[in-house]
Amino acid sequence: MLYVFELAWGVPHEPEKFVQEAVTAGHPSQYESFLPKILHQALEAHKALSDAELVKLRLKWVKKWTERSQTLELRASERDLKASLPQHAKTILKDKKIALWKEMLEDLQYEDMGVVDELVEGTKLLGEVPLTNVFPQHFKPAEFSVEDAKQESQTLREVVLKKTRSSGDRDLDAEVFEKTIEEVSKGWLAGPMELSSLPEPSLIGRRFGLKQGPKTRLIDDLTVGGQNGTVQSNESPKPQGPDVIAAILIGLMKVLPGESVEGRAYDLKSAYKQLAICESDLWAAFVSCFNPKTKSPSIFQLKAVPFGATRAVYWFLRVVRSIWYIGVVGLKLPWSCFFDDFVVFSKQGMVKSTDAAVTALFRLIGWKFAEEGEKCQQFSSEVSALGIKVCLKDFSRGKVYFDNTEKRKQDLSDLIQETLKSKNVTQKEGQVLRGKLQFADSQVYGRLSKLCLAEVSKLCASGGKALDGQAEMALKRFLGFLSSGKPRVLSCHTDRPFFLFTDACFEPTSPFWACGLGGVLVNDQGILLEFFSCSLSDEEMKKLGSESKKSIIFEAELLALIVAMYRWSSVLKSASCVCYIDNNAVRDVAISGRARNAAGIHLLERLLQVEMRLGVNAWFCRVASESNIADYPSRNDLRLFNAVRQVEVKPLIRQILKGFG
């Protein structure tokens, strides 16, 4: 066996040079990085154009395509295209203006014109996902081939039919079956049918109901039926979640300073059901649903795209991305697309224009969206979508707030309390709980809640079991964070990070400077704003463990970081910050939120608490000691800081160490 070793050699930057390189690198998770280029260009149009010019641009675009849709030529193209479709697709796609949609995409030079061909052909359920080059590359292999699924189809069907049984809730069983029959009347399903009438080979998925608050969502599990196992992909489509919404709002605050902005979410109705399954994959598009009347499985054939098929997710995201693209490029809409939710923002005085533009686009290409009922929102200073609440009341003052919706908080609270009451969690239940906690946690600042989340993850990794003391305490803590955690605050300065450099020295034989702390605050222009330099007293060193340990350099380095966060809390509040540390152990503890010894645990709690209180988006990095500009003040060497303001931190150190020992 051949072993290859690679060594990298380099000369560390001088501290001043490293500071400039750090500023150039910036913050790794700046919101601007989540903003697609074309969306950035649309935001710039809001800065360059007056309200009247933007209204005129949108009216001209809508007029152009409305007139084009009414031409005899395009009507004939649409008629011929629909005539070529299979009968089930004609029913499902009858309202779609496919020819018009195609021309819009061509006119706007969309890079993925294959999306039109796949819509006409229909959504495949099996096999390799086509490469689109519009999503990030990520290879995910199939578990087995389509041919393997065909050969094992009889065994797979038997497994599914055995698993098709009552949920234990009579009302839920009745509702699921009733909704299934309704889908048959809409042309989304065919059946019920006898097992003997199915073609050979054929694959069957399992249909069941999932309670989501007062509503029930129908899930077609095509994993148990074998369909999803045949799917192979080379890309990972990413829906535009809260980070993209945040990036849009930060961008709008920059181009529309002092303006009032409102937002609205547009929800596509039965979104997946607006697309048809490819005729060649209908043999694998059967589902088994428990029939509460016969107390046995009933079999149906899917015609519209199911919620539960892996390839359906890839395909749906591909389609809605094309619609999003038209809105951004053609109508200059500052909007995002997360599956079937389109979230758009508008100046208060432009709300009618924005609403008219979105409505016109959906109607022109034949996509149904909620125009009444609870999912039909109006433009407002508070937008709810994806389980989050975006508050725009202070937009004109340069601030927006992200929080979990009250419904999400209540649902999660109920789920956690049920888990605590049962004292036992299966692996599947644990995975569901973890997923919901993760999404809710992302809207709450700080990482104290993430430590709780880690305990739930450990529970899942163990395969599910009775709650131990740590997991129970973690869930109880999360309940508290869910209700008291501060919303995420964003401003137009959020993407202008600060840089903290901290260091400590420990030389116990030195009579005047046995343990020194140093910290330097740098802005996004590379300017050294302030620094601190101090030595710990014997009493303070004792609190860090100097009497029982040979070295307290780890504790001192961690303390220096905490002191820096406390001292510069006024500028770090709701900001991004990159913390450069030359001690690997401190960096690792700051990232993981875990420490071993008593002093480390106590200090770490202080770090997490101040991080949560400030709402700071912190990133922790390693800097070589030779390049760390904070190394100088930690050793009382102030030669580089003649023109930099020194700040006092001794009272803060006493405050932080209060209760130690």
Side-chain angles (χ1 to χ4, degrees):
M1 182 179 291
L2 178 65
Y3 293 93
V4 178
F5 296 91
E6 181 177 326
L7 296 176
W9 301 85
V11 178
H13 285 304
E14 290 297 318
E16 300 95 325
K17 176 61 175 175
F18 186 90
V19 168
Q20 297 307 315
E21 293 293 329
V23 170
T24 300
H27 194 291
S29 62
Q30 286 180 272
Y31 284 105
E32 187 175 352
S33 65
F34 295 104
L35 198 66
K37 183 179 179 181
I38 60 168
L39 198 44
H40 177 76
Q41 293 169 347
L43 296 181
E44 287 299 316
H46 284 255
K47 179 179 180 180
L49 301 176
S50 67
D51 291 359
E53 289 170 330
L54 187 56
V55 169
K56 185 177 180 180
L57 179 151
R58 290 172 172 172
L59 286 173
K60 182 179 179 181
W61 191 91
V62 172
K63 183 174 183 291
K64 169 187 173 180
W65 291 107
T66 300
E67 291 177 350
R68 177 58 180 159
S69 69
Q70 296 171 350
T71 62
L72 293 176
E73 176 190 2
L74 199 68
R75 288 185 176 183
S77 296
E78 195 71 50
R79 185 172 59 250
D80 293 343
L81 190 153
K82 295 283 179 59
S84 68
L85 298 175
Q87 187 56 50
H88 76 282
K90 289 179 183 177
T91 301
I92 294 168
L93 300 177
K94 65 180 182 349
D95 295 323
K96 297 288 178 290
K97 302 298 186 292
I98 302 172
L100 182 69
W101 171 53
K102 179 180 180 180
E103 285 197 10
M104 286 179 179
L105 293 173
E106 289 174 337
D107 182 67
L108 297 173
Q109 300 180 339
Y110 189 54
E111 66 269 44
D112 178 27
M113 290 307 300
V115 68
V116 179
D117 298 328
E118 189 165 350
L119 184 136
V120 173
E121 182 184 355
T123 303
K124 287 183 174 293
L125 302 178
L126 312 168
E128 187 167 5
V129 180
L131 191 66
T132 68
N133 295 315
V134 297
F135 295 118
Q137 292 190 2
H138 178 76
F139 178 68
K140 183 179 179 182
E143 297 175 20
F144 43 82
S145 69
V146 175
E147 286 304 314
D148 290 337
K150 287 181 177 180
Q151 293 178 13
E152 297 296 324
S153 61
Q154 183 175 347
T155 301
L156 290 168
R157 290 197 302 265
E158 291 173 355
V159 170
V160 171
L161 292 173
K162 286 181 180 179
K163 289 189 174 183
T164 307
R165 48 183 177 263
S166 172
S167 66
D169 184 332
R170 292 183 180 180
D171 292 337
L172 179 59
D173 291 342
E175 185 180 4
V176 170
F177 196 75
E178 182 181 341
K179 286 189 172 185
T180 299
I181 297 301
E182 287 178 9
E183 291 192 0
V184 172
S185 66
K186 294 176 180 178
W188 299 346
L189 287 176
M193 54 191 65
E194 296 295 327
L195 178 62
S196 59
S197 68
L198 270 57
E200 188 61 46
S202 58
L203 296 178
I204 305 175
R206 182 175 73 95
R207 170 167 286 202
F208 61 91
L210 180 64
K211 278 287 186 184
Q212 294 183 328
K215 294 186 177 181
T216 299
R217 180 187 285 272
L218 302 186
I219 306 296
D220 295 317
D221 181 3
L222 300 193
T223 296
V224 68
Q227 296 92 330
N228 289 344
T230 69
V231 177
Q232 180 165 296
S233 63
N234 295 286
E235 294 177 331
S236 178
K238 300 294 184 184
Q240 298 171 348
D243 286 332
V244 176
I245 294 175
I248 292 172
L249 289 169
I250 290 173
L252 282 174
M253 281 189 278
K254 292 177 181 178
V255 300
L256 300 175
E259 296 282 356
S260 293
V261 163
E262 295 184 349
R264 176 186 166 176
Y266 291 82
D267 181 81
L268 297 180
K269 290 182 64 176
S270 305
Y272 278 50
K273 304 305 180 186
Q274 296 193 47
L275 299 168
I277 294 175
C278 178
E279 188 174 31
S280 64
D281 278 6
L282 287 177
W283 67 272
F286 294 94
V287 290
S288 174
C289 177
F290 180 74
N291 186 331
K293 294 182 179 179
T294 63
K295 310 296 183 185
S296 62
S298 286
I299 299 172
F300 298 83
Q301 186 176 40
L302 298 163
K303 303 292 186 177
V305 173
F307 186 84
T310 297
R311 276 205 61 170
V313 176
Y314 287 91
W315 166 229
F316 184 77
L317 289 173
R318 186 182 183 188
V319 174
V320 294
R321 185 186 187 278
S322 73
I323 300 172
W324 167 82
Y325 179 94
I326 294 172
V328 172
V329 180
L331 294 164
K332 309 303 178 189
L333 293 172
W335 70 346
S336 68
C337 175
F338 187 89
F339 290 101
D340 55 352
D341 280 305
F342 288 79
V343 181
V344 65
F345 299 97
S346 174
K347 280 176 63 174
Q348 213 168 51
M350 290 284 290
V351 163
K352 288 185 178 180
S353 167
T354 304
D355 181 54
V358 175
T359 300
L361 172 56
F362 285 141
R363 289 176 178 171
L364 276 169
I365 59 179
W367 276 82
K368 298 175 183 176
F369 64 99
E371 298 189 64
E372 58 183 14
E374 63 178 25
K375 288 192 175 183
C376 178
Q377 299 183 12
Q378 301 301 316
F379 274 91
S380 169
S381 60
E382 189 169 283
V383 186
S384 294
L386 325 180
I388 64 171
K389 178 173 60 180
V390 183
C391 180
L392 305 168
K393 65 178 182 178
D394 290 334
F395 185 94
S396 61
R397 300 176 184 175
K399 288 185 179 180
V400 294
Y401 308 91
F402 278 63
D403 198 1
N404 293 291
T405 61
E406 294 306 317
K407 182 179 182 303
R408 164 164 279 166
K409 290 180 181 180
Q410 187 60 54
D411 290 346
L412 266 177
S413 176
D414 293 344
L415 181 59
I416 292 172
Q417 288 174 357
E418 287 175 10
T419 304
L420 289 169
K421 185 178 180 180
S422 69
K423 300 285 186 180
N424 191 65
V425 180
T426 66
Q427 185 176 35
K428 185 175 181 180
E429 289 171 341
Q431 289 170 345
V432 171
L433 177 60
R434 181 180 60 184
K436 292 186 175 183
L437 292 177
Q438 281 177 323
F439 203 93
D441 174 71
S442 66
Q443 308 315 321
V444 180
Y445 261 131
R447 289 179 296 129
L448 281 172
S449 54
K450 287 177 174 58
L451 300 184
C452 301
L453 195 56
E455 292 298 328
V456 178
S457 296
K458 284 168 58 180
L459 193 65
C460 293
S462 68
K465 60 180 181 180
L467 293 179
D468 58 23
Q470 288 185 326
E472 187 172 348
M473 181 179 68
L475 289 173
K476 288 179 179 178
R477 291 179 75 187
F478 201 103
L479 274 176
F481 297 137
L482 195 61
S483 60
S484 63
K486 294 181 179 180
R488 188 174 292 271
V489 184
L490 300 178
S491 75
C492 53
H493 302 298
T494 296
D495 268 3
R496 294 177 57 185
F498 289 93
F499 301 85
L500 287 185
F501 290 82
T502 57
D503 190 40
C505 73
F506 182 61
E507 299 172 358
T509 59
S510 173
F512 304 110
W513 203 268
C515 187
L517 307 184
V520 184
L521 175 67
V522 181
N523 70 7
D524 63 326
Q525 302 300 310
I527 299 172
L528 277 58
L529 300 177
E530 293 180 346
F531 78 99
F532 65 80
S533 173
C534 70
S535 176
L536 297 184
S537 66
D538 290 341
E539 182 64 28
E540 289 163 344
M541 286 190 288
K542 287 179 183 178
K543 289 187 175 184
L544 294 183
S546 61
E547 290 188 326
S548 59
K549 299 178 63 176
K550 290 184 178 180
S551 174
I552 57 168
I553 189 62
F554 163 77
E555 291 81 2
E557 293 261 16
L558 183 53
L559 177 59
L561 173 62
I562 298 166
V563 169
M565 293 279 257
Y566 270 83
R567 181 59 186 83
W568 291 307
S569 60
S570 60
V571 296
L572 296 179
K573 188 174 178 62
S574 303
S576 296
C577 176
V578 185
C579 303
Y580 281 97
I581 310 159
D582 65 12
N583 183 292
N584 282 332
V586 172
R587 180 204 59 185
D588 294 345
V589 163
I591 293 172
S592 67
R594 291 176 175 272
R596 296 180 180 179
N597 63 41
I601 292 171
H602 190 118
L603 288 169
L604 181 60
E605 286 290 317
R606 294 296 175 89
L607 174 65
L608 295 172
Q609 286 169 1
V610 69
E611 183 183 327
M612 189 171 189
R613 178 172 60 81
L614 297 181
V616 63
N617 179 21
W619 191 276
F620 302 96
C621 299
R622 174 76 161 83
V623 56
S625 295
E626 298 84 352
S627 301
N628 188 0
I629 198 166
D631 183 74
Y632 295 105
S634 75
R635 299 176 184 277
N636 198 30
D637 182 349
L638 310 183
R639 73 182 93 169
L640 297 179
F641 299 89
N642 291 330
V644 185
R645 180 171 178 262
Q646 183 173 357
V647 295
E648 177 60 54
V649 295
K650 287 295 285 185
L652 277 177
I653 292 173
R654 289 193 291 270
Q655 176 187 339
I656 293 168
L657 294 181
K658 188 177 181 180
F660 272 56

